[in-house]
């Protein structure tokens, strides 16, 4: 009886191994959202080619983009731009001299309201107090 049980267990194990082996070799039909192997290779090649492309040669520092907003009529946008430009100078010391020059040149404009002059002077004072 024990021998019979052992042989049944071994037979079940053999059957299970045979079935799992067939499942590994046999490839099911692709589903609707699956992609073929050729398409996957093409995607990988395109991705690799794209990674080798040269990056953009020119770089515009963010403070120069914000400097355009200093000319806007809306006082809230002006203050936000001046604040952001000053924060860039505080966070990125390599831009600090250029930003200081930009703000000082802005103060030289004619017809500049006193409130804007005062705000720019405040930002310049903050930069000088931080040593920028």
């Amino acid at each position: 009886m024990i021998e019979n049980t052992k042989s049944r267990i071994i037979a079940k194990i053999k059957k299970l191994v045979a079935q799992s082996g067939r499942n590994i070799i046999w490839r099911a039909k692709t589903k609707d959202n699956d992609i073929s192997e050729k398409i996957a290779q093409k995607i990988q090649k395109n991705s690799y080619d794209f990674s080798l492309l040269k990056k953009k040669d020119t770089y515009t520092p963010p403070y120069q983009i914000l400097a355009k907003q200093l000319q806007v009529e809306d006082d809230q946008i002006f203050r936000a731009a001046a604040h952001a430009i000053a924060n860039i100078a505080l966070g990125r010391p390599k831009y600090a001299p250029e930003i200081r020059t930009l703000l000082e040149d802005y103060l030289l404009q004619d017809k500049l309201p006193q409130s804007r002059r005062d705000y720019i002077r405040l930002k310049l004072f903050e930069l000088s107090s931080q040593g920028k």
Side-chain angles (χ1 to χ4, degrees), residues 15-71:
K15 184 179 175 184
L16 182 66
V17 169
Q19 285 177 346
S20 64
R22 273 184 256 134
N23 288 339
I24 291 172
I25 296 170
W26 182 75
R27 293 180 82 167
K29 290 184 179 181
T30 60
K31 297 177 184 170
D32 290 337
N33 61 351
D34 286 347
I35 59 173
S36 71
E37 194 172 327
K38 286 184 180 182
I39 293 173
Q41 288 174 347
K42 189 172 183 176
I43 290 170
Q44 287 176 335
K45 183 184 179 315
N46 288 342
S47 176
Y48 176 74
D49 291 343
F50 184 72
S51 70
L52 295 178
L53 291 177
K54 285 189 174 182
K55 301 294 181 205
K56 189 176 176 183
D57 289 341
T58 60
Y59 172 73
T60 304
Y63 74 88
Q64 288 181 353
I65 297 167
L66 287 171
K68 294 176 185 175
Q69 294 180 1
L70 294 175
Q71 307 302 326

Side-chain angles (χ1 to χ4, degrees), residues 5 62 77 87 96 103:
T5 307
I77 294 173
N87 282 343
L103 294 176

